[in-house]
Amino acid sequence: MLQQVNGHSSGSDAQGGKSLREDLQEFLGGEALLHELDDLTKVNPVTLETVLRCLQARYAADMFYTSAGCTLVALNPFKPVPQLYSPALMREYHAAPQPQKLRPHIFAVGEQTYRNVQSLIEPVNQSIIVSGESGAGKTWTSRCLMKFYAVVAASPTSLESHKIAERIEQRILNSNPVMEAFGNACTLRNNNSSRFGKFIQLQLNSAQQMTGAAVQTYLLEKTRVTCQASSERNFHIFYQICKGASVDERLQWHLPEGASFSWLPNPERTLEEDCFQVTREAMLHLGIDIPTQNNIFQVLAGLLHLGNIWFADSKDEAQSCQLMDDAKCSIRTSASLLQLPEDPLLETLQIRTIRAGRQQQVFQKPCSRAECDTRRDCLAKLVYARLFDWLVSVINSSICADPDSWTTFIGLLDVYGFESFPSNSLEQLCINYANEKLQQHFVAHYLRAQQEEYAVEGLDWSFVNYQDNQACLDLIEGSPISICSLINEECRLNRPSSAAQLQTRIESTLAGSPCLGHNKLSREPSFIVVHYAGPVQYHTAGLVEKNKDPVPPELTRLLQQSQDPLLKVLFPMDPEEKSQEEPSGQSRAPVLTVVSKFKASLEQLLQVLHSTTPHYIRCIKPNSQGQAHTFLQEEVLSQLEACGLVETIHISAAGFPIRIPHQNFVERYELLRRLCTRTSPGSHSPSPDEGHSEWSPHTKGATLQPLLQDILHTLPALTQAAATPGDPAEATPVPVHCGRTKVFMTDSMLELLECGRAQVLEQCACCIQGSWRRHRHRKQERQRQAATLIQAAIRSWLARKHIQRMHAAATAIKRTWQKWRIRMAFLASKELDGVQEKHVSQVPLPLGSLLLPQAQTSLLEAIIRLWPLGLVLANAAVGVRGFQRKLVVWACLQLPMGNPSSYAVQTAQEQAGVTSIRALPQGSIKFHCRKSPLPYADICPEPSLHSVTGFNQILLERHSLGHM
Ligand code: ADP
Ligand code: MG
């Protein structure tokens, strides 16, 4: 069932699973309120899916900051949100009684650190570790925090001290544009990517006023001066001087408009960071005067010209490589800008000096073209790195307070995030090593915070099973053998070693490490380190050289000869150093490699961090295109992994990621009690967490206790039922802990509870279905019986009615027929008796007068209705004849009484079953054609089998006939 929660439901029950998942989501978190959830560790369940959805919902609602336990997640809005950083908001957070109760914000973190310092509770010093991918907003966040401290840590009382503090703050803020101009560059990922790590220590006096600051930098990417990836740029400052210099300055620095430099790719792209004036002003505020500034820019121009020096291949190994034609001008310009003698500069680049033998004899060897290029690059990198360090020292001297004047500090670490490129080298190894170190520090801190939360809830539980990234750190920096030690050893032995040999050495020596991998498909020698944020493949080619970072002593000596005031400062001619330098070529003193220097500074940094209360800000880039309103889940997910947030989720999962308030727990799982009574009637299992389920007398829902206990009692039975037959289920404790306000459980337990709930619901559903079917069946049966009864009653009623009508009709026919027969018999007997004439004269004129007065009308009707019968009789082959027949027709046709001899009855021949009987008038006939001439027409004649047609075609005018 939890699979459905995690979105892995199978296709067949996907639909049912979806609704169940939604139901569970609603119960655990409440989907509609996802964006209102301020803390990612409070999403329920704590899974990557819900965390992502929560972040996305908040991003859509313009909420860019979200807490994640002791971490603040900052999403880059990629659009200006001025109201989010206004001084008014800074003051609001500063004045709030409980800033952490306000919306998550970097100012809340800033204020929290400031209050911690004020509280003087150990450790008083604070550190804020801002991490994230390039372009995620680390530098922006650090800058905003510095502005925040500049506002809140200013002295409100003394005007004098206020001015001093203001000046210091201004200097701290001004250090940003300078460091960004010299240390940031436009990369594929960020237009203003910091190419160095930075720890800023904001120093506070006993009254928590900012009195100064100190900056420490790490691992400047100095190779960028001479080598830029395609579509990337050199450090901003080179573009600033080329674009922002005045006409005079251009002349002075030999930077004519439109000049092209091979170390200045993509100059046509203009960024907002290319503002030379801002850098100059900031330098001025830091105490770097205009002549010094010009000096700096002149040296930088000299480096740009140095980049245009190209050598041709030498035909003979004994001959040094010659300059390309158009490079001759460049070396001259470069030498003049760096104030170096031109020939020694060229010679240093072309010829290598080797000291060998016991006497330290000096040999000179012409360099190959590639070596010449390397020496040229090395010279530029050397100058730039020293210049950068010097700038940092100048900034520090201008912002650093007297050591006695400050007592506490807040540290801001703007550190490069975890990096993994298609090709990774020593820089990435160092960066990822630093991230591993910081991750370990973070995890330890997070675990502590988790532990505290459990303690508050009254749980005694430790993350003993949690494995941190120590194995990976052992692989990188462990003792006695690790990747670092092996690379350093290669440098120390100074033996020629190929990349493949280094790979074999690392793989064979460190084969036992679980974090070392090998890419069999890779053609280049490499090794894989499985970092906490994912595996990274490092190429071994050039690793040792980079680690050595060899600076030929000739280059340093050359630079020491410079007449330039700045280069003189950067490369001082120290007599002691000079005297020691001579034998150093053969000295066995440990070589200070890049890795060992980095390791030392990292350890120093971690010592500082360990001595402080850490706060974490994880900057996240919602998309790599830098677009506002675009949240790409996959990109965010990989960053959550890289910044260790996934790790915190895993830590949560290692503990009890599901936390359900008592009330909600009882409401949802109360029905499990049915299961218990069914599985183990009458017996209660022991409480799953008897040792920890202490109930505070102040617990709000005290009435819930019996119910809660009842539910908890069912859990062992539930786990037992879920365990496979061979499993000793009793041995494993139920992973549920009852806190003071919440029930804590693991994912698996939630799954089990949901299974149990589904089982009970299924049973209930079956029961309801059975009852309903029974009820429906009974109802249908009753309805069927009733319908049958009604149908029978109606049918019998209809039959009775029909029979009654038939009966009445039959009676009427019978009676009329009987009367008719009597009459006919009477008439016949009269005829037979020979009293024809007499009788006729005695027959009353109207037909009706022969009958009894009361039956007159009905008889007449019967005659009318039965006239066909009469006609049939009259026409029958056998039957009445003669007068009798005439009388019948006469009666049928209701001819006027009078002289019967005035009519002659004529029967037409039978044709096709139609009999036509006509009473032919003996006198003249008058035809009337009126609208409705038929006195006895049947208005709805129904064709009958025996009906006689044709009779009423001609009718006689009875009255007129009567008179005739
Ligand atoms: P990083 O130092 O992590 O490489 P930056 O701090 O330089 O990244 O941020 C990159 C860009 O993102 C900035 O230049 C800025 O345009 C934008 N940005 C970062 N954070 C914010 C923010 N909170 N509000 C607005 N824009 C931001
Ligand atoms: Mg940055």
Side-chain angles (χ1 to χ4, degrees):
M1 202 156 299
L2 198 70
Q3 277 188 334
Q4 290 161 347
V5 173
N6 292 335
H8 303 305
S9 60
S10 63
S12 62
D13 62 347
Q15 207 161 2
K18 190 171 177 282
S19 61
L20 183 71
R21 188 174 64 183
E22 279 165 7
D23 171 41
L24 199 56
Q25 278 293 346
E26 208 171 300
F27 164 62
L28 292 175
E31 185 78 356
L33 304 173
L34 211 52
H35 71 276
E36 286 174 19
L37 223 56
D38 278 346
D39 195 335
L40 288 180
T41 57
K42 297 219 162 54
V43 297
N44 232 341
V46 188
T47 61
L48 273 178
E49 193 195 338
T50 37
V51 163
L52 263 183
R53 282 222 314 276
C54 178
L55 280 179
Q56 187 163 15
R58 288 181 70 78
Y59 190 66
D62 272 5
M63 294 177 182
F64 303 107
Y65 295 109
T66 311
S67 299
C70 59
T71 314
L72 180 79
V73 178
L75 289 166
N76 190 338
F78 283 124
K79 65 175 182 182
V81 199
Q83 72 278 10
L84 212 54
Y85 307 102
S86 65
L89 196 69
M90 290 181 190
R91 281 190 287 273
E92 190 187 325
Y93 274 88
H94 185 50
Q98 286 179 301
Q100 65 275 16
K101 292 253 166 98
L102 299 179
R103 282 182 169 189
H105 198 289
I106 46 172
F107 296 159
V109 179
E111 183 58 28
Q112 188 59 51
T113 54
Y114 192 66
R115 289 191 191 187
N116 286 359
V117 170
Q118 280 178 322
S119 72
L120 295 176
I121 298 169
E122 283 297 333
V124 181
N125 295 328
Q126 310 287 312
S127 56
I128 301 177
I129 297 146
V130 188
S131 62
E133 241 190 36
S134 183
K138 302 181 291 290
T139 306
W140 178 287
T141 302
S142 311
R143 226 186 284 156
C144 287
L145 278 170
M146 279 194 246
K147 283 183 189 161
F148 175 77
Y149 290 122
V151 169
V152 303
S155 165
T157 46
S158 153
L159 190 67
E160 189 58 29
S161 69
H162 182 71
K163 274 188 179 165
I164 295 169
E166 216 169 45
R167 202 175 63 233
I168 294 287
E169 287 147 20
Q170 205 51 46
R171 283 186 182 178
I172 293 169
L173 295 180
N174 278 323
S175 70
N176 274 327
V178 178
M179 293 194 72
E180 286 183 19
F182 285 82
N184 288 20
C186 171
T187 65
L188 287 174
R189 300 191 176 168
N190 181 4
N191 286 350
N192 188 30
S193 174
S194 315
R195 309 314 301 162
F196 64 103
K198 177 170 69 175
F199 183 72
I200 304 169
Q201 190 184 48
L202 303 171
Q203 298 156 341
L204 306 172
N205 63 12
S206 51
Q208 288 83 47
Q209 290 155 7
M210 215 187 323
T211 57
V215 182
Q216 192 183 346
T217 59
Y218 301 91
L219 211 70
L220 174 77
E221 190 193 50
K222 59 186 178 187
T223 46
R224 185 168 288 271
V225 177
T226 61
C227 178
Q228 307 81 29
S230 63
S231 305
E232 293 200 351
R233 297 203 328 177
N234 208 325
F235 292 103
H236 293 324
I237 190 65
F238 289 110
Y239 297 87
Q240 289 184 3
I241 57 170
C242 286
K243 291 178 182 182
S246 65
V247 179
D248 285 351
E249 286 165 345
R250 281 182 188 286
L251 274 175
Q252 202 183 331
W253 303 333
H254 298 273
L255 296 173
E257 200 105 38
S260 81
F261 296 98
S262 55
W263 286 347
L264 207 67
N266 307 309
E268 67 287 345
R269 279 185 71 182
T270 301
L271 307 175
E272 60 177 287
E273 285 78 16
D274 291 346
C275 191
F276 191 34
Q277 205 48 41
V278 171
T279 310
R280 295 199 80 149
E281 277 169 21
M283 287 171 100
L284 202 62
H285 281 120
L286 289 172
I288 304 171
D289 55 21
I290 300 288
T292 314
Q293 286 184 22
N294 286 342
N295 197 172
I296 293 169
F297 303 135
Q298 184 184 313
V299 168
L300 292 178
L303 296 186
L304 281 179
H305 283 281
L306 196 66
N308 282 1
I309 298 172
W310 294 100
F311 294 89
D313 277 323
S314 102
K315 294 180 188 96
D316 181 0
E317 255 191 41
Q319 296 290 315
S320 53
C321 299
Q322 293 306 304
L323 281 175
M324 304 274 265
D325 286 344
D326 46 355
K328 284 175 187 156
C329 175
S330 297
I331 197 154
R332 197 171 310 126
T333 316
S334 180
S336 89
L337 287 168
L338 297 173
Q339 297 211 29
L340 288 169
E342 188 184 331
D343 291 338
L345 171 62
L346 183 60
E347 207 173 284
T348 314
L349 297 179
Q350 287 171 321
I351 297 164
R352 187 159 29 129
T353 309
I354 303 165
R355 289 168 194 271
R358 280 191 196 155
Q359 267 73 44
Q360 289 287 300
Q361 286 170 299
V362 178
F363 299 94
Q364 290 201 322
K365 188 177 178 295
C367 298
S368 67
R369 185 184 152 186
E371 284 171 334
C372 291
D373 289 347
T374 311
R375 289 168 83 83
R376 176 203 60 205
D377 292 355
C378 187
L379 185 71
K381 286 191 279 186
L382 183 64
V383 172
Y384 196 82
R386 289 262 177 117
L387 175 61
F388 187 78
D389 288 345
W390 175 80
L391 268 174
V392 173
S393 70
V394 169
I395 289 170
N396 274 336
S397 63
S398 98
I399 59 175
C400 210
D402 178 15
D404 299 333
S405 69
W406 61 274
T407 50
T408 51
F409 72 85
I410 296 171
L412 274 176
L413 182 65
D414 174 357
V415 76
Y416 18 58
F418 180 82
E419 283 186 356
S420 177
F421 297 111
S423 172
N424 303 291
S425 192
L426 192 73
E427 292 85 1
Q428 280 71 43
L429 184 66
C430 288
I431 287 171
N432 293 342
Y433 166 42
N435 276 281
E436 285 284 356
K437 276 284 209 197
L438 290 171
Q439 177 66 8
Q440 194 181 43
H441 176 257
F442 168 64
V443 165
H445 177 72
Y446 184 74
L447 287 178
R448 206 164 44 236
Q450 288 276 300
Q451 208 71 48
E452 277 166 15
E453 193 189 337
Y454 287 158
V456 167
E457 280 284 340
L459 307 187
D460 177 22
W461 199 83
S462 64
F463 291 87
V464 280
N465 293 329
Y466 185 76
Q467 285 283 318
D468 72 354
N469 57 343
Q470 189 57 48
C472 187
L473 277 170
D474 286 344
L475 173 69
I476 299 173
E477 55 147 31
S479 181
I481 296 171
S482 61
I483 292 172
C484 286
S485 74
L486 285 172
I487 300 171
N488 282 342
E489 197 177 70
E490 291 296 314
C491 298
R492 191 171 54 80
L493 296 175
N494 213 8
R495 61 184 174 194
S497 81
S498 70
Q501 278 174 323
L502 180 62
Q503 179 195 339
T504 319
R505 229 164 267 157
I506 289 174
E507 281 178 357
S508 59
T509 325
L510 300 165
S513 171
C515 297
L516 185 73
H518 171 57
N519 183 4
K520 288 185 184 130
L521 299 174
S522 171
R523 274 184 286 160
E524 290 173 52
S526 63
F527 60 91
I528 291 174
V529 176
V530 185
H531 291 284
Y532 71 94
V536 180
Q537 182 176 5
Y538 299 97
H539 289 125
T540 48
L543 212 61
V544 175
E545 278 304 295
K546 274 190 182 172
N547 191 30
K548 264 195 244 172
D549 192 22
V551 178
E554 309 91 277
L555 292 186
T556 321
R557 275 199 294 273
L558 172 76
L559 289 165
Q560 283 168 344
Q561 290 171 28
S562 170
Q563 296 306 307
D564 183 79
L566 178 66
L567 287 179
K568 277 188 171 188
V569 174
L570 298 183
F571 299 93
M573 187 71 110
D574 188 355
E576 276 177 43
E577 196 183 279
K578 200 189 171 195
S579 61
Q580 282 175 0
E581 203 181 276
E582 303 302 324
S584 67
Q586 288 294 309
S587 79
R588 289 277 164 240
V591 184
L592 259 185
T593 62
V594 171
V595 165
S596 50
K597 276 192 266 183
F598 185 69
K599 196 174 163 189
S601 62
L602 194 60
E603 266 160 20
Q604 207 187 340
L605 172 70
L606 277 156
Q607 257 181 7
V608 173
L609 293 183
H610 280 307
S611 69
T612 60
T613 306
H615 304 261
Y616 293 89
I617 299 177
R618 304 303 206 195
C619 299
I620 304 282
K621 221 165 36 163
N623 62 80
S624 48
Q625 292 79 38
Q627 287 171 350
H629 311 291
T630 310
F631 188 96
L632 301 179
Q633 283 204 348
E634 271 159 32
E635 287 188 21
V636 174
L637 184 62
S638 71
Q639 290 172 68
L640 291 179
E641 273 168 0
C643 73
L645 267 173
V646 175
E647 198 81 342
T648 60
I649 291 164
H650 289 161
I651 293 169
S652 282
F656 301 107
I658 314 286
R659 294 126 201 234
I660 305 171
H662 290 163
Q663 175 78 36
N664 297 9
F665 183 82
V666 167
E667 276 171 16
R668 190 167 179 91
Y669 299 113
E670 195 185 349
L671 41 73
L672 286 181
R673 293 186 308 152
R674 288 161 170 261
L675 205 65
C676 180
T677 47
R678 213 158 292 179
T679 49
S680 54
S683 74
H684 274 308
S685 319
S687 167
D689 186 23
E690 268 170 0
H692 308 302
S693 51
E694 294 161 19
W695 290 89
S696 154
H698 309 294
T699 307
K700 253 188 182 176
T703 49
L704 294 173
Q705 285 184 43
L707 280 174
L708 195 57
Q709 290 299 343
D710 263 10
I711 300 167
L712 292 174
H713 280 136
T714 66
L715 301 185
L718 212 62
T719 43
Q720 262 174 9
T724 49
D727 247 11
E730 310 87 60
T732 50
V734 180
V736 174
H737 288 256
C738 199
R740 290 191 214 284
T741 60
K742 292 174 191 166
V743 179
F744 290 69
M745 68 182 84
T746 59
D747 280 335
S748 61
M749 195 58 227
L750 180 73
E751 188 180 346
L752 221 60
L753 280 170
E754 284 296 312
C755 271
R757 187 170 172 271
Q759 205 180 325
V760 175
L761 286 177
E762 202 177 300
Q763 284 168 1
C764 293
C766 284
C767 183
I768 292 167
Q769 279 175 2
S771 307
W772 167 247
R773 280 203 201 100
R774 200 166 46 245
H775 164 76
R776 200 179 52 183
H777 182 73
R778 279 186 190 157
K779 193 175 160 189
Q780 279 176 349
E781 190 55 33
R782 274 203 309 272
Q783 284 174 344
R784 204 179 58 78
Q785 282 176 359
T788 313
L789 208 67
I790 292 166
Q791 279 174 5
I794 287 174
R795 274 201 206 102
S796 74
W797 179 77
L798 284 173
R800 220 178 302 127
K801 282 286 269 186
H802 183 67
I803 286 165
Q804 275 172 357
R805 274 214 335 265
M806 295 294 280
H807 190 71
T811 313
I813 292 167
K814 204 165 79 184
R815 207 180 299 135
T816 312
W817 174 245
Q818 280 169 353
K819 280 178 185 165
W820 174 262
R821 236 179 30 186
I822 292 165
R823 186 169 167 75
M824 284 305 118
F826 170 73
L827 288 172
S829 66
K830 274 229 166 148
E831 193 181 9
L832 288 173
D833 289 347
V835 287
Q836 184 186 347
E837 292 303 318
K838 194 179 171 187
H839 178 81
V840 168
S841 64
Q842 286 175 354
V843 172
L845 276 177
L847 185 68
S849 62
L850 292 175
L851 306 170
L852 292 171
Q854 66 268 28
Q856 196 174 14
T857 328
S858 57
L859 181 63
L860 192 66
E861 278 173 11
I863 289 168
I864 289 162
R865 287 193 68 81
L866 297 170
W867 60 264
L869 192 65
L871 288 178
V872 171
L873 286 172
N875 207 34
V878 286
V880 285
R881 287 276 181 271
F883 175 75
Q884 202 173 355
R885 183 172 161 221
K886 211 182 213 174
L887 199 68
V888 168
V889 173
W890 176 75
C892 285
L893 297 178
Q894 284 192 302
L895 294 175
M897 289 297 179
N899 189 8
S901 59
S902 54
Y903 316 111
V905 175
Q906 197 182 65
T907 309
Q909 287 224 318
E910 273 184 40
Q911 279 180 337
V914 175
T915 305
S916 168
I917 300 170
R918 295 181 188 188
L920 294 175
Q922 299 298 306
S924 63
I925 299 167
K926 190 176 170 187
F927 289 93
H928 289 263
C929 284
R930 286 190 304 198
K931 206 170 184 187
S932 179
L934 307 180
Y936 304 112
D938 192 346
I939 55 162
C940 49
E942 279 177 19
S944 157
L945 254 166
H946 309 292
S947 66
V948 179
T949 59
F951 175 74
N952 54 356
Q953 285 171 5
I954 301 165
L955 286 171
L956 306 178
E957 178 94 311
R958 282 173 291 177
H959 300 291
S960 48
L961 275 174
H963 296 299
M964 281 170 69

